[in-house]
Amino acid sequence: MASGDTLQVFNPDQNEPPLTDFATRDSRNNRPCLDFDVTTSESAIFTGFMPRIYAGSGITVNLEVATTVTTGDMDWDVSIERVGTVQNLDSDGFAAVQSTDGTTVPGVSGDAAIIAVTFTDGSQMDSLAAGEMFRIKVARDTADTAAADLELYQVEIKET
Amino acid sequence: MARFFDDASVQYLLSTLTPLTGFEISMACWFKTDDLTLEQDLMSIADSATNNEEFALVFDGESGSGEPIVTLARAGGVSTSASTSTSASVDTWHHACGTWESATSRWAYLDAGGADESTTSNTPTSIDRMAIGARARSSDSKHMSGAIAEAAMWNTTLTPTEVTMLALGLAPYLVRPANLVFYMPMVRDNDVDIIGGISFTPQASPTISDHPRIFHKYSPQLGPAPAAAAVDRYIELMQVRQPVPAGIFDI
């Protein structure tokens, strides 16, 4: 796998909602999406498998997002939990979040934006390696200023 | 986004069709009421010509015995019902399920618990229409005060284990898909049954609210997204028994 190649793609219906403060299912023009609340930090969790062709260059997580307001900014937090053979399944073990903050929302309601969140290989990715199961958590940091739900349409993980 | 109904404005969804007219029936949905004092129909199928024949899945805040889920069969103006031993809480998502196996067996479940059976014989007839958030009989009543989502119906009697699967959040098409005859996710104002195609007419403009926690079928997508997406979509379509669109395998 070369730099820039797609490793994994997640869509809204693949969300495994946490027990509380979960991003909620919605649609826009019949397109499935997940809504992240303005005031409560909500999250979505996806289970994946790191392809064996991951070359260890780190990953970039691209979030395809939109909203209904045309002013303000968006703050997104993403974290990785390596499962493999090291994570006790009765607990969560996400590494520290990596964030992309302060992205101005698109100037037209319904226009999509791609938010890139980067992870270096190693501890930022919870030391996830090729051929291992993992989970990725996407959350909104409600310190941002967009005064409406943020909508998540797709998550792409690519080799940086 | 789920559908939100204001009983004061007499909001509900009504269809002139019904996926089932008699036994066996299972109905299930998620609900969140903002009023624990009212009797509220979550789903019902009934005779449009009278007030005497119906099958209804009910949240009963008027019972005086807690706030249970009730599985109602009404025939000839006589009602028989099963009522859960457990109660719902206000402004909280709960799962409701009712089964009608025969004239002499109906079960009610709240969050897959509090199960109760009623065996008093009763056979509703002339069932010809359906409502979400109200009773579908000649004079609509028992209007919902709160949100409803993921309404589904099967032409069989779900087992307690299957009811538990639903209450854990599995989407209805993941439970006994071969017998699923009606499923309306109720995301926003998409008031269409994606199994049988039954459409509903909103009455008095119900609104929308946050959706409950639901798990859908998926498969991890590795490598080229379009190929995996096509296979996944095919599996999904086959499970919900819809025709495969032309070009689905075009990659």
Side-chain angles (χ1 to χ4, degrees):
Chain A
M1 186 65 77
S3 172
D5 285 348
T6 297
L7 295 168
Q8 199 116 133
V9 174
F10 300 105
N11 292 306
D13 283 345
Q14 295 172 262
N15 177 33
E16 300 166 359
L19 284 171
T20 59
D21 297 335
F22 50 87
T24 51
R25 177 72 159 78
D26 195 4
S27 68
R28 186 170 188 170
N29 190 26
N30 209 34
R31 302 171 191 268
C33 65
L34 295 171
D35 284 351
F36 293 74
D37 193 59
V38 177
T39 55
T40 301
S41 180
E42 295 175 334
S43 60
I45 299 174
F46 306 89
T47 293
F49 179 83
M50 182 58 73
R52 298 186 184 278
I53 46 180
Y54 168 61
S57 303
I59 60 174
T60 298
V61 178
N62 286 330
L63 309 175
E64 183 95 18
V65 301
T67 187
T68 53
V69 294
T70 56
T71 59
D73 63 52
M74 305 181 275
D75 293 352
W76 290 94
D77 294 338
V78 182
S79 53
I80 302 289
E81 175 196 75
R82 175 192 184 194
V83 179
T85 58
V86 300
Q87 177 64 43
N88 185 294
L89 300 179
D90 289 328
S91 62
D92 295 344
F94 288 92
V97 300
Q98 304 302 306
S99 304
T100 294
D101 295 337
T103 304
T104 303
V105 301
V108 176
S109 172
D111 277 2
I114 294 179
I115 308 295
V117 183
T118 58
F119 293 74
T120 57
D121 189 59
S123 60
Q124 286 188 356
M125 292 173 54
D126 202 24
S127 301
L128 174 64
E132 292 186 323
M133 177 179 171
F134 70 94
R135 293 194 298 171
I136 179 171
K137 181 190 295 185
V138 178
R140 176 183 184 176
D141 183 348
T142 53
D144 59 17
T145 62
D149 285 356
L150 299 183
E151 303 156 0
L152 177 67
Y153 291 84
Q154 193 168 70
V155 179
E156 179 208 10
I157 301 176
K158 69 174 189 178
E159 182 115 25
T160 301
Chain B
M1 291 291 189
R3 264 309 205 171
F4 187 86
F5 303 96
D6 179 5
D7 65 301
S9 300
V10 193
Q11 297 174 345
Y12 62 103
L13 303 176
L14 182 66
S15 175
T16 58
L17 301 173
T18 173
L20 295 172
T21 59
F23 311 115
E24 297 174 55
I25 301 170
S26 295
M27 294 187 199
C29 69
W30 288 85
F31 74 99
K32 180 168 69 172
T33 182
D34 58 12
D35 192 328
L36 294 180
T37 67
L38 300 175
E39 183 179 359
Q40 302 160 53
D41 270 30
L42 307 177
M43 302 171 62
S44 70
I45 53 177
D47 176 10
S48 62
T50 73
N51 291 332
N52 299 324
E53 309 287 334
E54 60 208 71
F55 296 90
L57 183 64
V58 182
F59 166 72
D60 191 359
E62 288 182 351
S63 69
S65 301
E67 292 79 27
I69 288 299
V70 169
T71 299
L72 174 74
R74 181 175 173 83
V78 177
S79 295
T80 55
S81 62
S83 181
T84 61
S85 60
T86 49
S87 297
S89 301
V90 71
D91 294 329
T92 303
W93 281 109
H94 291 281
H95 188 262
C97 182
T99 66
W100 296 257
E101 184 174 16
S102 69
T104 56
S105 178
R106 62 200 68 86
W107 283 87
Y109 301 86
L110 173 62
D111 297 327
D116 178 60
E117 184 185 24
S118 162
T119 58
T120 305
S121 183
N122 216 357
T123 303
T125 59
S126 304
I127 304 299
D128 62 0
R129 73 177 185 180
M130 181 174 181
I132 304 288
R135 199 153 293 181
R137 56 189 183 181
S138 177
S139 304
D140 58 90
S141 63
K142 312 302 182 184
H143 299 96
M144 181 67 188
S145 181
I148 297 173
E150 304 288 323
M153 197 179 301
W154 294 257
N155 62 1
T156 189
T157 303
L158 297 180
T159 66
T161 298
E162 290 168 328
V163 177
T164 297
M165 291 168 66
L166 293 168
L168 286 173
L170 291 186
Y173 61 81
L174 296 172
V175 177
R176 203 81 81 93
N179 294 96
L180 184 65
V181 297
F182 169 87
Y183 173 39
M184 194 159 73
M186 301 176 74
V187 175
R188 282 196 173 258
D189 55 359
N190 295 324
D191 301 323
V192 177
D193 157 31
I194 65 173
I195 299 297
I198 293 176
S199 62
F200 287 74
T201 301
Q203 307 294 307
S205 305
T207 55
I208 59 176
S209 70
D210 283 350
H211 211 75
R213 180 172 173 261
I214 298 295
F215 291 82
H216 289 272
K217 173 178 173 56
Y218 72 94
S219 57
Q221 296 180 13
L222 306 179
V231 172
D232 197 52
R233 180 61 179 154
Y234 171 73
I235 294 172
E236 181 177 291
L237 288 172
M238 292 308 293
Q239 283 211 332
V240 297
R241 299 184 299 165
Q242 288 187 359
V244 178
I248 189 66
F249 290 112
D250 292 342
I251 297 173

